[in-house]
Amino acid sequence: MNYNDITCNQFAGGISGYNQGGCVLYSGNVANISTVNEFAGGISGFSTDMNSGDLVIGYCYNIGKIEGVNCIGGICGGAWGNESKTIGIRNCYNTGAVTSSKTFNGGILGGTYFDYAVKKAENHNNIMFCYNIGIVNGNKINQIVSSYSSVTDCYYISGRTNNSGYGFGKAEYLFKAPISDNNSLINRFDAIRKGIWTLNSKYNNGYVCLLWQVK
């Protein structure tokens, strides 16, 4: 967990500023993260799997404000991958405001970079079972990720601008609605990912949260 505000020139993250390979799991950030230039994220400023194994950020959340010029994301600011490895962001959520003055921003992941064709990039950069309800501000506004990603079961509040088109909109009340509501987020997530997500009025202002947070 990170509770301390962080400001630096670049590569600012609540848990990891620059992460080369490996995994960041079961982590949270509640502080404000900012860079003078690029790469700021609630969990990781910049993540790469180059010359290393597959990289996964999982079961993480951010509620702090994330700010910078370019590649700014609620969970991860920027990601760089290659053809043989996978970058995955799974079972994460963001409720904090994300602000950038350029185009590469996202409620979950800001910018993506790859050394091979875009189609393969989309196959190897996977964002799954995530949601963003934080306000995204920037030259272009992307609720989940700016570009080049395979996005599965990721949601944001319907009606908000989403230039990249990744993810699906849901009415805000459905992020708090009980599992008995077939259209609720917890109903959707629990049907596929049992034992990971929950609802608890004492946590996350009543919005869906991760089960490990309340144990």
Side-chain angles (χ1 to χ4, degrees):
M1 288 293 300
N2 177 55
Y3 300 95
N4 299 312
D5 292 350
I6 297 172
T7 299
C8 59
N9 189 51
Q10 63 179 358
F11 303 126
I15 304 300
S16 170
Y18 188 103
N19 179 25
Q20 183 165 338
C23 300
V24 181
L25 305 173
Y26 300 100
S27 300
N29 174 64
V30 301
N32 299 325
I33 309 296
S34 63
T35 58
V36 176
N37 293 306
E38 56 189 4
F39 302 119
I43 301 300
S44 177
F46 182 82
S47 295
T48 177
D49 61 7
M50 299 294 284
N51 303 316
S52 60
D54 294 342
L55 184 147
V56 174
I57 299 173
Y59 317 100
C60 295
Y61 70 94
N62 171 67
I63 66 174
K65 293 190 296 184
I66 314 298
E67 298 178 336
V69 173
N70 205 23
C71 295
I72 312 300
I75 298 299
C76 181
W80 184 293
N82 67 24
E83 185 173 356
S84 62
K85 304 297 192 321
T86 296
I87 294 175
I89 300 177
R90 297 163 191 165
N91 304 298
C92 295
Y93 73 86
N94 173 64
T95 65
V98 175
T99 301
S100 71
S101 57
K102 292 190 177 180
T103 58
F104 291 106
N105 60 49
I108 299 299
L109 172 62
T112 57
Y113 300 83
F114 291 84
D115 61 352
Y116 54 100
V118 168
K119 185 62 178 178
K120 290 183 178 179
E122 292 178 343
N123 291 337
H124 287 268
N125 184 39
N126 302 308
I127 305 174
M128 305 172 68
F129 313 111
C130 296
Y131 79 85
N132 169 58
I133 58 172
I135 300 294
V136 181
N137 302 294
N139 188 24
K140 287 189 176 180
I141 295 172
N142 308 294
Q143 296 297 328
I144 302 298
V145 60
S146 61
S147 60
Y148 304 159
S149 297
S150 172
V151 175
T152 303
D153 277 288
C154 291
Y155 300 90
Y156 60 92
I157 295 175
S158 59
R160 291 185 176 177
T161 300
N162 188 27
N163 290 116
S164 70
Y166 290 102
F168 301 96
K170 273 187 178 291
E172 185 171 2
Y173 81 91
L174 292 173
F175 292 82
K176 290 185 174 183
I179 197 169
S180 57
D181 186 330
N182 290 334
N183 293 314
S184 69
L185 184 65
I186 188 65
N187 181 287
R188 176 61 180 172
F189 277 179
D190 191 70
I192 303 170
R193 308 291 291 170
K194 285 189 177 296
I196 294 175
W197 299 90
T198 190
L199 284 172
N200 189 307
S201 61
K202 296 180 180 179
Y203 293 85
N204 200 30
N205 294 316
Y207 293 99
V208 173
C209 64
L210 293 159
L211 184 60
W212 69 261
Q213 290 181 251
V214 306
K215 286 188 173 180

